[in-house]
Amino acid sequence: MNKKLALGFTAAVAAGAFWACGSGDIIKSNDDDGLAVFVTDSWNGYNVDSAMIYCSMDATCAAEMAAAGPMNPVGETSSESTPGPGPAESASSAYVPPMSSGPFPPFGQSSSSSFKFVTLSSSSNATIPSTPVETSSSSSVIIIPTGGDSDYGTCAPVPSVIELGGSVTWKFTKGPAVTNPIAITTADYAWTFEGGSIPSSAKHGNASSDGVYYNTSGAKNASLVFTMSGGAPVTINCSPLQVNGAPITGCKCVADAPSVDYTSAAPSWSVSGCATATTPQVFTYSWDGGAAGAETTFSKAFTEAQSGWAPTLKVANNDNTIIDVTCPTVKTTKGREFEMDIGENALQLPNKSKLSVDITSGACMSVTGSWGNAGYSPNLTILCDMTATSSPVSFTMTYADGNKSYDVKGAASWGFSNAGGMIAQLKQGPVSLDNICVEFTGAETVNCYLQ
């Protein structure tokens, strides 16, 4: 396995420094590494100088090491021996690993060196020392970070849904409290499986369980006791597994309309056609994350225009089967929707009335059709005119999808002309632009047109 290393095959450097890797690469550490820890252990006797020498023998690694810049020694060295586990040491302390008896011990050979994990503040500027300082071989301190169970990690089945008789592997994923990735390769994992083919299993250094089979349907739980070397056991409850029984087929979700003016009505959906082999056939429906029930319809109120929204739908039967059913999206508009179909090369038509609509305040427009001229890509502009019947006079056109907004400039008591702006640049192919909306005062309607 290609592990990150700096002081041998298990050493870690402070955040902002670099990793020397077993593949012969040097990689900048990042937030995903979540580390500010120095480590050395008895797996082998490599030291920093050895790692750097090995790196210099590989052209790629040597180039990346040079690009990473010089390595500054750590500041203060701590040689105190403290029983673990315990609270993290202060950010000013750092452990400098002992020198090995020779620069190149045989690969995989164990040494008598002890090891020590010391946590550092993420703001520490410590890096790997270029000249390690020898310390007492009697030191054996492991500082384990403190935190709640979820801080140490999560566990989940892979896959999350199976059929009767199927199997899964339960997998542990480390959390922010596990600051040293090497810890997951030296930890103990004690799994307990509800309703599985095996009630429990124990692993060392392997974050995944054996395959577990299930012959009864329903939600199945599992838990993990995670114990890092030298640390206290931590119990983690896994996300549940869904074991489906008799299949559900034929479900179809439909929307009442593809587009709805949310100021006058709420869009709605319904499901029908579900079938199963259970006797009697009993179904429950969970809409948009809500509680399961017998309701086969669903509606949702909106307060703004959007291009498309659909609820999630889960259908269950009385044999513990749960499936996801896809519902169609519905577009919501603020006010009635007006469409202008540009057609092939429609912007070249001389009569703008063929491409215009009279629109009320709060309503939206869409532009559909296709553009057939591959050699001509004009800007699509929507402009509006008003003859005012009252005051004050104002106008704003917004296009949410394109994040554009145009306010009327130079409006007078009589109204305005050519208010608006560019919406998009046309390219050959289909055209579909939604939710181009207007708000105005001074008249009941404005006339908007493509140009």
Side-chain angles (χ1 to χ4, degrees):
M1 186 176 184
N2 178 21
K3 297 184 175 69
K4 294 177 179 177
L5 68 88
L7 309 179
F9 277 79
T10 58
V13 297
F18 68 86
W19 301 105
C21 298
S23 64
D25 297 329
I26 286 186
I27 302 173
K28 291 282 187 179
S29 64
N30 55 46
D31 292 340
D32 292 335
D33 292 319
L35 290 180
V37 181
F38 291 103
V39 184
T40 185
D41 64 21
S42 59
W43 290 4
N44 56 63
Y46 287 99
N47 55 42
V48 175
D49 291 338
S50 302
M52 294 177 70
I53 291 170
Y54 273 126
C55 181
S56 66
M57 294 177 179
D58 179 272
T60 301
C61 188
E64 293 182 1
M65 179 168 62
M71 299 169 62
N72 301 317
V74 287
E76 186 177 337
T77 301
S78 172
S79 60
E80 295 181 4
S81 180
T82 307
E89 295 186 3
S90 68
S92 64
S93 65
Y95 174 67
V96 182
M99 291 287 290
S100 63
S101 57
F104 301 101
F107 177 76
Q109 174 180 310
S110 296
S111 73
S112 60
S113 301
S114 61
F115 60 92
K116 182 175 182 178
F117 290 18
V118 179
T119 61
L120 295 175
S121 165
S122 60
S123 62
S124 171
N125 60 3
T127 60
I128 304 174
S130 57
T131 306
V133 178
E134 188 168 355
T135 62
S136 168
S137 62
S138 63
S139 173
S140 180
V141 178
I142 302 176
I143 305 301
I144 303 297
T146 59
D149 292 358
S150 61
D151 290 337
Y152 282 87
T154 58
C155 51
V158 181
S160 60
V161 179
I162 63 171
E163 306 300 322
L164 279 176
S167 69
V168 299
T169 297
W170 295 82
K171 182 179 179 181
F172 168 78
T173 301
K174 78 177 185 70
V178 184
T179 56
N180 175 22
I182 306 306
I184 65 175
T185 67
T186 58
D188 290 319
Y189 302 84
W191 297 92
T192 300
F193 312 109
E194 175 191 273
S197 57
I198 55 176
S200 61
S201 71
K203 294 279 188 178
H204 176 75
N206 188 343
S208 296
S209 75
D210 293 327
V212 184
Y213 290 82
Y214 293 85
N215 290 313
T216 58
S217 61
K220 306 298 180 182
N221 296 316
S223 62
L224 168 66
V225 177
F226 172 64
T227 309
M228 287 190 285
S229 179
V234 177
T235 299
I236 300 171
N237 293 318
C238 305
S239 57
L241 165 72
Q242 172 62 31
V243 181
N244 281 340
I248 299 173
T249 60
C251 294
K252 185 176 181 180
C253 178
V254 297
D256 285 355
S259 178
V260 173
D261 171 12
Y262 72 80
T263 64
S264 60
S268 61
W269 294 259
S270 61
V271 61
S272 61
C274 297
T276 184
T278 60
T279 305
Q281 291 192 14
V282 177
F283 298 100
T284 57
Y285 310 91
S286 174
W287 292 94
D288 207 34
E295 185 58 59
T296 58
T297 60
F298 174 80
S299 63
K300 179 179 174 66
F302 287 86
T303 58
E304 61 182 3
Q306 39 71 57
S307 297
W309 187 90
T312 60
L313 171 60
K314 292 184 179 294
V315 179
N317 66 8
N318 48 340
D319 195 24
N320 299 313
T321 297
I322 301 175
I323 64 169
D324 293 313
V325 177
T326 301
C327 293
T329 60
V330 170
K331 180 171 64 176
T332 60
T333 61
K334 184 178 181 181
R336 178 186 168 192
E337 182 180 65
F338 296 82
E339 290 191 0
M340 292 189 283
D341 190 338
I342 66 171
E344 297 279 342
N345 304 317
L347 294 185
Q348 297 176 11
L349 292 175
N351 186 354
K352 76 175 184 180
S353 64
K354 294 181 180 180
L355 300 170
S356 68
V357 293
D358 291 328
I359 187 169
T360 56
S361 182
C364 301
M365 296 171 281
S366 64
V367 179
T368 61
S370 62
W371 187 248
N373 194 332
Y376 177 43
S377 298
N379 292 333
L380 175 66
T381 300
I382 295 184
L383 301 177
C384 301
D385 299 339
M386 173 201 285
T387 299
T389 57
S390 63
S391 62
V393 176
S394 65
F395 175 85
T396 298
M397 181 171 68
T398 59
Y399 175 36
D401 292 347
N403 196 28
K404 297 177 184 293
S405 178
Y406 298 103
D407 294 321
V408 68
K409 305 297 182 183
S413 58
W414 63 267
F416 54 80
S417 61
N418 299 325
M422 188 189 83
I423 300 301
Q425 184 179 33
L426 294 180
K427 303 291 184 181
Q428 185 181 35
V431 177
S432 180
L433 306 170
D434 294 321
N435 294 321
I436 306 161
C437 304
V438 295
E439 297 275 356
F440 58 85
T441 59
E444 292 186 0
T445 63
V446 295
N447 179 256
C448 298
Y449 49 92
L450 297 179
Q451 178 168 302

